[in-house]
């Protein structure tokens, strides 16, 4: 019987770590993230979550009696840097690569590892994707060694629209603003596709350069001119921070439906203007009741801060990784990466907000989603403000799920 995370993960890890007395070559996990520069805040949250899980694994014995080794590589915020770091990680003998910030970077990593694995049978590397949400990664670019443990635009837009409509805050005039690359384009399409179900008109839409806009005032003026009641956006990092700042400066009254509003700093930048905005995210401690409280206490005690933004989904995804490692016995003193990947296809964990599993058809995690609103009544305050995210509705993994894309033609090793 499964119990709630983090206790469930601790038990799974303990079992995994005691599965064999003989020592094996250590499992090597690489974090390939943006750890410096303007976008470092996003990469550092992923790194903090990975360190949390790996530290727990090693406190409970590692894998097959050996500590798991964590290696960290700074991709410097772009695909070119990621490509160089993947080469370095492979040369260092990593078995698992973890990354989440940016679908552009994620696409580079996924393709580089796909090619490496085809050319080097027996030396495969698995990509644990904890935040790169472009649909193509589980569509036409899916492959056996890529696993996504976060949502995607279809899932997030679906639950956001449903919850906002059910609480009568969606309105009938929606403006879509997104970053001009795969993820933002996916979000724009999902916003348009959900118009019928949501009962709204997309009055205007815009795509902009990623993390290059310093002044969003012209975009905010455009939103105001369109008389939008709701702004829906998949923007993240500085593009959301600066959008919120411009919104505050202009006094824009439109309600926001977001994906990454819970990134640290957003509520502080927006101030009281953030009240009433919505977010579709993978975790809300208040929605998790006692199990959510337990996870927050443990994470805070170990890292020095409460889990925020993408950290919970990273922890839960790596909990599934730990469960799969438990099921994978060493072969000739080492990890068989293909056997590990097959175990990962069947892995499940119970998070504070519901069960999370892996869909073998496209390696898209089936995970519960929470839609929350910014209010002063939230149990957990953020950004040292008097505001937080209060859950409006929790969607089970089945309720949030959207079908696997027909373009994914999964090829498994024989």
């Amino acid at each position: 019987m499964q119990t709630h995370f983090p206790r469930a993960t601790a038990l799974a890890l303990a079992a995994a770590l005691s599965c064999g007395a003989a020592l094996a070559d250590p499992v090597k996990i690489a974090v390939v993230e943006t750890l410096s520069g303007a976008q470092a805040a996003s990469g550092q949250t992923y790194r903090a979550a990975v360190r949390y899980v790996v530290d727990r694994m090693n406190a409970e014995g590692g894998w097959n009696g050996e500590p798991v080794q964590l290696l960290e590589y700074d991709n410097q915020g772009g695909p070119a840097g990621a490509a160089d770091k993947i080469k370095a990680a492979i040369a260092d003998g990593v078995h698992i690569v973890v990354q989440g910030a940016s679908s552009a970077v994620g696409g580079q990593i996924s393709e580089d590892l796909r090619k490496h694995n085809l050319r080097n049978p027996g030396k495969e590397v698995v990509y644990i994707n904890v935040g790169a949400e472009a649909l193509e990664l589980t569509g036409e670019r899916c492959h056996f060694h890529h696993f996504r443990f976060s949502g995607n635009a279809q899932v997030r837009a679906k639950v956001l629209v449903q919850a906002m409509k059910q609480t009568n805050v969606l309105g009938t005039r929606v403006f879509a603003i997104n970053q001009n690359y795969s993820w933002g384009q996916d979000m724009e399409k999902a916003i348009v596709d959900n118009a019928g179900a949501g009962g709204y008109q997309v009055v205007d839409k815009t795509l902009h350069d990623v993390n290059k806009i310093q002044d969003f005032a012209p975009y905010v003026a455009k939103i105001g001119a369109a008389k939008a009641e709701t702004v829906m956006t998949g923007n993240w990092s500085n593009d959301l921070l600066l959008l919120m700042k411009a919104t505050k400066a202009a006094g824009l009254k439109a309600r926001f439906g977001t994906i990454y509003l819970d990134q640290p700093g957003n509520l502080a930048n927006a101030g009281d203007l953030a009240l009433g905005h919505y977010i579709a995210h993978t975790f809300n401690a208040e929605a998790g009741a006692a199990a959510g409280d337990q996870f927050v206490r443990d994470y805070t005690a170990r890292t020095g801060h409460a889990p925020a933004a993408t950290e919970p989904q990273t922890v839960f995804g790596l909990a599934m990784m730990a469960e799969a490692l438990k099921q994978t016995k060493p072969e000739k003193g080492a990890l068989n990466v293909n056997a590990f990947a097959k175990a990962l296809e069947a892995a499940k964990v119970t998070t504070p907000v519901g069960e999370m599993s892996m869909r073998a058809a496209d390696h898209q995690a089936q995970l519960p989603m929470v839609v929350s609103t910014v209010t002063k009544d939230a149990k957990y305050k953020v950004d040292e403000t008097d505001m937080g995210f209060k859950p409006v509705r929790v969607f089970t993994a089945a309720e949030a799920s959207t079908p696997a894309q027909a373009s994914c033609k999964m090829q498994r090793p024989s």
Side-chain angles (χ1 to χ4, degrees):
M1 182 177 70
Q2 291 182 331
T3 53
H4 283 295
F5 187 91
R7 186 182 168 215
T9 305
L11 293 175
L13 291 175
L17 309 169
S18 61
C19 66
L23 296 181
D25 290 342
V27 170
K28 293 184 179 181
I29 299 174
V31 174
V32 181
E33 271 300 350
T34 306
L35 303 176
S36 63
Q39 308 308 316
S42 295
Q44 289 167 0
T45 60
Y46 287 107
R47 177 175 67 180
V50 176
R51 285 179 174 179
Y52 168 80
V53 175
V54 172
D55 286 348
R56 287 193 59 141
M57 293 175 69
N58 287 335
E60 293 156 359
W63 179 73
N64 200 53
E66 284 288 306
V68 173
Q69 292 186 11
L70 178 60
L71 295 79
E72 299 177 356
Y73 303 85
D74 183 0
N75 67 40
Q76 300 176 323
D84 289 341
K85 299 307 181 183
I86 286 297
K87 291 177 183 176
I90 290 171
D92 291 337
V94 303
H95 304 93
I96 298 167
V97 169
V98 183
Q99 180 270 344
S102 170
S103 289
V105 171
Q108 181 74 51
I109 291 173
S110 184
E111 183 64 9
D112 286 353
L113 291 183
R114 185 188 69 82
K115 291 178 179 177
H116 164 79
N117 293 341
L118 287 174
R119 295 166 181 163
N120 298 276
K123 297 181 180 180
E124 292 84 358
V125 180
V126 163
Y127 171 29
I128 301 291
N129 173 359
V130 288
E133 300 199 3
L135 287 172
E136 65 183 7
L137 296 177
T138 50
E140 60 267 28
R141 297 180 68 180
C142 76
H143 61 87
F144 178 71
H145 296 97
H146 165 268
F147 294 83
R148 176 155 55 207
F149 293 92
S150 61
N152 58 49
Q154 292 175 328
V155 167
R156 291 189 188 263
K158 173 186 175 181
V159 298
L160 188 61
V161 167
Q162 284 190 22
M164 292 182 73
K165 181 179 181 182
Q166 289 167 8
T167 50
N168 297 314
V169 298
L170 183 58
T172 60
R173 299 178 63 83
V174 170
F175 189 105
I177 178 169
N178 291 283
Q179 296 151 317
N180 193 15
Y181 76 116
S182 53
W183 158 249
Q185 293 159 12
D186 288 344
M187 270 301 300
E188 180 176 272
K189 183 177 186 303
I191 293 165
V192 172
D193 288 349
N194 276 275
Y200 58 81
Q201 173 191 1
V202 178
V203 293
D204 204 350
K205 57 188 180 180
T206 188
L207 296 169
H208 61 78
D209 290 341
V210 182
N211 291 318
K212 292 182 179 179
I213 308 299
Q214 298 302 312
D215 181 10
F216 276 85
Y219 294 95
V220 172
K222 193 175 181 181
I223 294 167
K227 298 180 180 179
E229 297 167 278
T230 296
V231 177
M232 298 191 73
T233 180
N235 280 15
W236 52 272
S237 195
N238 280 1
D239 283 339
L240 186 56
L241 284 167
L242 295 176
L243 177 60
M244 297 306 295
K245 283 184 176 181
T247 297
K248 180 181 179 181
L252 185 71
K253 302 301 182 184
R255 191 183 310 275
F256 274 65
T258 74
I259 309 304
Y260 296 113
L261 188 58
D262 56 358
Q263 287 181 319
N266 283 343
L267 295 199
N269 277 315
D272 284 354
L273 197 65
L275 293 170
H277 291 341
Y278 279 68
I279 179 172
H281 48 178
T282 55
F283 178 71
N284 181 309
E286 187 172 343
D293 293 339
Q294 180 190 2
F295 172 48
V296 170
R297 285 194 302 270
D298 188 71
Y299 194 90
T300 303
R302 294 172 182 267
T303 67
H305 67 274
T310 56
E311 289 171 292
Q313 70 192 35
T314 302
V315 170
F316 303 147
L318 294 190
M320 292 177 67
M321 175 198 73
E323 175 65 21
L325 283 172
K326 181 189 76 170
Q327 302 298 330
T328 310
K329 309 301 181 185
E331 296 183 14
K332 298 181 180 179
L335 177 69
N336 181 320
V337 171
N338 285 342
F340 161 69
K342 289 178 181 178
L344 196 52
E345 286 190 317
K348 295 181 181 180
V349 295
T350 301
T351 80
V353 293
E355 184 177 84
M356 178 176 173
S357 62
M358 180 53 63
R359 183 165 62 194
D362 59 352
H363 291 185
Q364 168 63 55
Q366 304 298 285
L367 67 171
M369 298 291 296
V370 185
V371 174
S372 305
T373 187
V374 180
T375 172
K376 295 184 178 182
D377 295 329
K379 179 177 179 179
Y380 289 94
K381 313 301 184 185
V382 301
D383 288 351
E384 298 182 348
T385 70
D386 59 354
M387 301 177 292
F389 298 95
K390 191 168 188 66
V392 171
R393 179 175 169 187
V394 178
F395 292 80
T396 66
E399 290 171 334
S401 181
T402 58
Q405 299 170 76
S407 58
C408 175
K409 309 296 183 184
M410 187 66 68
Q411 301 292 322
R412 291 177 174 79
S414 57

